[in-house]
Amino acid sequence: MATSIFNFLLTFLALSNLVFLSQSQVTSAPFKPDGLALPVFKDSATGLHITNITKRTPQQSIPLLIDLNGKFLWLNCEKNYLSSTYLAPFCHSTQCSRFGSHSCNKCFSTTPRPGCHNNTCAVTTTNPLTSQTATSEVAQDSLSIQSITQSGSNFGPIVTIRHFLFACSPSSLLQGPFPNNFQGVAGLAHGSVSLPIQFASHFGFPRQFSLCLPSSSQKNGAIFFGTSGFNGTQTGNLTYTPIIIGSQGEYFIPVRSIRVNNKPVPLNHSSLISTRTRNFGGAMISTTAPYTALEHSIFTTFTQFFANQSSRISQVNPISPFGLCFNSNVSSSTNVPNIDFVMQNKNVTWTIVGTNSVVEARPGVSCLAFVDGGQNPKVPIVIGVHQLEDNFVEFDLVRSRLGVSSSLLSRNTSCSYFNFTSKSSFVNEME
């Protein structure tokens, strides 16, 4: 009897070990999203765009200015930054090297706090509107974001990166003509710690992202990471041109000429050469410039040519900062001629229609939404926010190309109708 019980126990233990081993080897695969999405809101006072990013533990939604050419995410940590998951990497660590930081932070406070630790990484952060700089602390903390599945059409679960790298900056950097209550900058440039690169590295999806900036301050647009489209706007409808990456991770495209009303503007081609890229990568795309800025000689020639092509529209005295204005009581944006940025060849164009080429400067007066960028700027053309609105713009960093839809309004849709409250889809409500 004892022998049979002993044999039973041996058999039971052996089977239990097998079950334990088999269960320990079966682990649920982590959820892998097809992409991620952030809502985008237009600030009516400044015309700039912000997004809300969820960070910290406990979680808090933080409004950040969208900076296409910002190197990384930075936010104000000087006041009321409370998080149990905040970490400040030690000086000369791997995290520091990803930021390109080779200096150590020195904080003279007797009480360490976020943004103020000794022997941590120091990095220079820049205010994109005023160019003011400050020394900030390299940090890590939790970041949560909405995932999307099925190539950008459906919501997935909220996903979290527990050690997302960012810069913890002083409140002095918040000075300037910023949207109210904003707390920092969401940098999207081509760099090792920008949002699109960190997201792609963490989740393993392609290094690409898309902007759809709303023209309305009443409803939100979106930024998509890792996926190449949304319902109603697929990549097959985009015009592609090479992306040229600047020395600081900025995004340039080759603009070889400009057309108005399908007629070439008589420009000196040498004026289109950028000192940053030394080629016809003369147009930098920006989400912090309200309007497209043109080098002085380009601006003068372009504005006069546009005026000649719009001679049937009643002109009025220009309102600063614009150089050409119209009486909008007797005309509308649909009456002005189209503008084409001609890229790598004459058949590849980014068409700027009236809603993107003119802006209401005051009641009854609309102006050509291009401004004088001055003489000898580093960049001859900076394509600004007003020209980007209601355009679906894809940055494919894998193939080094940019895709642009031109105005979505011509397709009976826009960037102002994304539904982030539905848990089933991102469908555009106008469709």
Side-chain angles (χ1 to χ4, degrees):
M1 181 70 178
T3 302
S4 60
I5 293 175
F6 178 73
N7 289 335
F8 170 78
L9 289 173
L10 287 177
T11 303
F12 176 78
L13 290 172
L15 290 173
S16 297
N17 285 335
L18 286 174
V19 171
F20 174 78
L21 288 172
S22 63
Q23 288 179 340
S24 66
Q25 291 169 359
V26 177
T27 58
S28 58
F31 174 73
K32 183 179 179 181
D34 292 328
L36 307 171
L38 285 171
V40 175
F41 307 92
K42 181 175 181 177
D43 178 67
S44 58
T46 63
L48 300 176
H49 294 79
I50 60 174
T51 186
N52 290 331
I53 290 183
T54 302
K55 284 184 62 61
R56 310 181 190 178
T57 304
Q59 293 183 342
Q60 182 175 347
S61 180
I62 302 173
L64 301 173
L65 178 73
I66 298 168
D67 184 3
L68 180 62
N69 297 303
K71 295 181 181 179
F72 43 77
L73 186 156
W74 66 259
L75 56 88
N76 173 31
C77 295
E78 201 165 71
K79 298 179 180 178
N80 303 320
Y81 190 100
L82 301 175
S83 177
S84 62
T85 49
Y86 180 94
L87 294 172
F90 288 117
C91 204
H92 307 303
S93 63
T94 301
Q95 295 93 323
C96 297
S97 63
R98 290 185 65 185
F99 265 86
S101 171
H102 304 291
S103 58
C104 299
N105 207 27
K106 294 181 180 180
C107 185
F108 299 101
S109 173
T110 56
T111 305
R113 58 171 175 76
C116 186
H117 294 86
N118 287 317
N119 197 31
T120 55
C121 314
V123 65
T124 299
T125 45
T126 303
N127 179 319
L129 301 186
T130 65
S131 298
Q132 179 186 358
T133 61
T135 299
S136 303
E137 180 176 85
V138 172
Q140 294 176 306
D141 207 343
S142 171
L143 182 148
S144 297
I145 186 172
Q146 176 68 62
S147 70
I148 52 178
T149 61
Q150 298 181 12
S151 300
S153 59
N154 295 320
F155 280 107
I158 300 295
V159 293
T160 298
I161 301 176
R162 298 193 181 280
H163 301 295
F164 190 87
L165 286 165
F166 68 105
C168 203
S169 302
S171 57
S172 60
L173 275 187
L174 301 181
Q175 298 174 2
F178 284 106
N180 288 334
N181 301 319
F182 105 107
Q183 291 298 309
V185 166
L188 305 177
H190 191 287
S192 60
V193 287
S194 68
L195 267 69
I197 302 303
Q198 285 202 68
F199 289 154
S201 298
H202 186 85
F203 293 107
F205 50 61
R207 292 187 173 191
Q208 64 184 44
F209 66 97
S210 303
L211 296 178
C212 210
L213 302 182
S215 59
S216 169
S217 59
Q218 303 301 313
K219 295 186 177 181
N220 59 266
I223 307 175
F224 295 95
F225 300 93
T227 185
S228 57
F230 65 97
N231 279 350
T233 302
Q234 301 300 323
T235 55
N237 296 327
L238 304 183
T239 297
Y240 288 96
T241 191
I243 289 180
I244 302 164
I245 305 299
S247 60
Q248 301 299 313
E250 315 99 309
Y251 299 109
F252 291 81
I253 56 172
V255 174
R256 296 183 177 274
S257 63
I258 302 175
R259 294 197 299 242
V260 175
N261 205 18
N262 208 31
K263 299 175 182 178
V265 179
L267 299 174
N268 183 345
H269 280 210
S270 64
S271 64
L272 296 172
I273 298 177
S274 171
T275 59
R276 291 195 184 183
T277 60
R278 296 296 179 185
N279 58 23
F280 285 101
M284 184 176 77
I285 306 173
S286 171
T287 55
T288 58
Y291 307 102
T292 292
L294 305 174
E295 182 273 334
H296 178 71
S297 67
I298 300 175
F299 175 80
T300 301
T301 304
F302 168 77
T303 303
Q304 185 59 55
F305 193 86
F306 192 94
N308 294 340
Q309 295 298 312
S310 311
S311 57
R312 295 184 179 180
I313 304 176
S314 175
Q315 297 183 22
V316 298
N317 292 331
I319 299 174
S320 180
F322 307 109
L324 178 64
C325 296
F326 306 97
N327 183 348
S328 57
N329 290 324
V330 295
S331 63
S332 69
S333 61
T334 58
N335 295 331
V336 300
N338 287 346
I339 300 166
D340 293 315
F341 288 138
V342 182
M343 296 179 284
Q344 63 265 39
N345 63 61
K346 64 180 181 180
N347 297 318
V348 182
T349 62
W350 183 346
T351 299
I352 310 295
V353 301
T355 51
N356 293 112
S357 64
V358 298
V359 63
E360 186 178 55
R362 69 183 184 202
V365 178
S366 294
C367 298
L368 181 63
F370 290 72
V371 297
D372 191 337
Q375 296 181 343
N376 301 316
K378 292 182 179 180
V379 180
I381 300 174
V382 177
I383 299 175
V385 168
H386 190 73
Q387 282 67 43
L388 295 174
E389 290 177 343
D390 291 324
N391 281 244
F392 190 82
V393 186
E394 176 192 280
F395 295 80
D396 186 339
L397 306 182
V398 177
R399 300 178 184 177
S400 297
R401 66 178 188 174
L402 177 135
V404 61
S405 66
S406 294
S407 178
L408 294 175
L409 298 176
S410 62
R411 305 179 192 182
N412 196 34
T413 185
S414 76
C415 290
S416 299
Y417 290 88
F418 288 104
N419 183 3
F420 272 78
T421 60
S422 168
K423 290 300 179 185
S424 60
S425 70
F426 277 121
V427 293
N428 189 302
E429 294 175 354
M430 288 184 68
E431 297 178 345

